[in-house]
Amino acid sequence: MAYLWHRFRDIEHHPLLAENDSYDSSSSEADMADRVWFIRDGCGMVCAVMTWFLVVYADFVVTFVMLLPSKDFWYSVINGVLFNCLAVLALSSHLRTMLTDPGAVPKGNATKEYMESLHLKPGEVIYKCPKCCSIKPERAHHCSICKRCIRKMDHHCPWVNNCVGEKNQRFFVLFTMYIALVSAHALILCGFQFFSCVRGQWTECSDFSPPVTVILMVFLCLEGFLFLTFTAVMFGTQIHSICNDETEIERLKSEKPTWERRLRWEGMKSVFGGQPSLLWINPFAGFQIRQLLLRAKKGGPEFSV
């Protein structure tokens, strides 16, 4: 007879589902794959909208306050194309992180029938989450916001309105990298703009009045500095975690690894997929818009919070 044991932090004894509560793991996995993943969390949705607004604001200031009034044509074209490409890549990475299933475990799969289908050996121990009544794979943790167990859960990030886990960590790393690059580029352009305005005439360096120009650029500098600091630190933390094959939760809990660690390049390959290539930094890799539209028609959000 198979017994369920809880992790040392999940001490609540939660009974298995009743025998007449059938559960088909294969159909549940297929159903999850056919639906769009989106978390209906108020705080997360507000933070996600703010992220897009701040990126669009930075693009507005860079394009209409700094580059278009510039007399140097190639300076405006090169920096405009570069900045907008980075902004598109950052927002695309944000969308992929937010709308990708982070590795959710099917809810309510801790049934007697499912247990028997596992063909457990005598004395073999598995874990059951008392909150979502699911069998916990190794390294899975329960998210109180997503209300699901997430495989290799690193943390829940309100700025992307989703958990960062096994299946979307790559997109989160790209999001932090591109936001850091956009912020650095904006700060550099602000420095050049202030220098040119001080050296010349404020009325000639922008189509806006000098007070409005200064206010817009000061806010952009503050935004760029804060975003650059935060995302650069987060990017470094994520790369360090990937190279050490250790999530942030595992590090904070000081959990001893019971799995075979994939360090450095092996860890990077497991997250980004395959050998190093330009696909590693492409948030559009593997994206199929036809499949996304079919998923949207089949059921909308995978679940609501």
Side-chain angles (χ1 to χ4, degrees), residues 166-217:
E166 184 178 64
K167 295 183 179 180
N168 67 345
Q169 187 176 24
R170 169 187 168 226
F171 301 120
F172 181 75
V173 173
L174 293 182
F175 168 66
T176 57
M177 181 184 74
Y178 286 124
I179 288 294
L181 291 176
V182 165
S183 301
H185 192 194
L187 288 174
I188 292 172
L189 291 176
C190 281
F192 279 115
Q193 187 72 10
F194 273 119
F195 179 75
S196 63
C197 289
V198 170
R199 188 180 59 179
Q201 294 292 328
W202 279 91
T203 55
E204 298 178 359
C205 69
S206 175
D207 292 337
F208 294 85
S209 64
V212 173
T213 300
V214 171
I215 292 174
L216 291 174
M217 292 178 59

Side-chain angles (χ1 to χ4, degrees), residues 47-68:
C47 289
V49 171
M50 284 181 59
T51 301
W52 276 68
F53 171 78
L54 291 172
V55 173
V56 172
Y57 169 79
D59 187 70
F60 169 80
V61 176
V62 168
T63 303
F64 293 97
V65 178
M66 302 185 200
L67 298 182
L68 287 182

Side-chain angles (χ1 to χ4, degrees), residues 39 102 129 131-132 136 140-150 153 155-157 162-164 249 303 305:
I39 306 299
C129 177
K131 299 173 183 176
C132 59
K136 268 189 175 182
H141 293 274
H142 187 86
C143 175
S144 59
I145 299 176
C146 295
K147 298 181 181 178
R148 295 289 282 275
C149 285
I150 308 296
M153 176 180 170
H155 67 287
H156 185 96
C157 179
N162 202 0
C163 275
V164 176
I249 291 179
F303 70 95
V305 175

Side-chain angles (χ1 to χ4, degrees), residues 73 112 126 150 159-160 213:
F73 175 77
K112 185 177 180 180
I126 60 175
I150 308 296
W159 295 104
V160 297
T213 300

Side-chain angles (χ1 to χ4, degrees), residues 1-187:
M1 181 177 179
Y3 291 88
L4 289 177
W5 295 87
H6 300 280
R7 294 186 186 275
F8 66 98
R9 292 186 184 275
D10 296 336
I11 58 175
E12 176 187 354
H13 293 278
H14 196 292
L16 289 174
L17 295 179
E19 293 185 20
N20 57 355
D21 294 335
S22 60
Y23 174 80
D24 187 345
S25 61
S26 60
S27 63
S28 178
E29 292 281 4
D31 183 64
M32 289 173 62
D34 288 337
R35 293 175 181 267
V36 175
W37 181 273
F38 181 75
I39 306 299
R40 292 184 180 177
D41 174 58
C43 176
M45 289 189 288
V46 169
C47 289
V49 171
M50 284 181 59
T51 301
W52 276 68
F53 171 78
L54 291 172
V55 173
V56 172
Y57 169 79
D59 187 70
F60 169 80
V61 176
V62 168
T63 303
F64 293 97
V65 178
M66 302 185 200
L67 298 182
L68 287 182
S70 176
K71 297 178 181 179
D72 190 333
F73 175 77
W74 289 111
Y75 172 83
S76 300
V77 170
I78 293 174
N79 282 287
V81 171
L82 178 59
F83 187 89
N84 281 277
C85 285
L86 290 174
V88 169
L89 289 171
L91 294 178
S92 300
S93 300
H94 183 271
L95 274 180
R96 293 300 300 273
T97 308
M98 182 170 60
L99 300 179
T100 299
D101 175 4
V105 179
K107 187 183 292 185
N109 66 351
T111 63
K112 185 177 180 180
E113 291 81 2
Y114 183 63
M115 291 291 298
E116 292 175 349
S117 69
L118 295 177
H119 303 294
L120 298 173
K121 299 178 181 179
E124 188 175 353
V125 177
I126 60 175
Y127 302 103
K128 173 192 168 186
C129 177
K131 299 173 183 176
C132 59
C133 200
S134 62
I135 301 299
K136 268 189 175 182
E138 189 176 36
R139 306 184 70 183
H141 293 274
H142 187 86
C143 175
S144 59
I145 299 176
C146 295
K147 298 181 181 178
R148 295 289 282 275
C149 285
I150 308 296
R151 294 182 180 92
K152 285 186 67 176
M153 176 180 170
D154 188 85
H155 67 287
H156 185 96
C157 179
W159 295 104
V160 297
N161 189 34
N162 202 0
C163 275
V164 176
E166 184 178 64
K167 295 183 179 180
N168 67 345
Q169 187 176 24
R170 169 187 168 226
F171 301 120
F172 181 75
V173 173
L174 293 182
F175 168 66
T176 57
M177 181 184 74
Y178 286 124
I179 288 294
L181 291 176
V182 165
S183 301
H185 192 194
L187 288 174

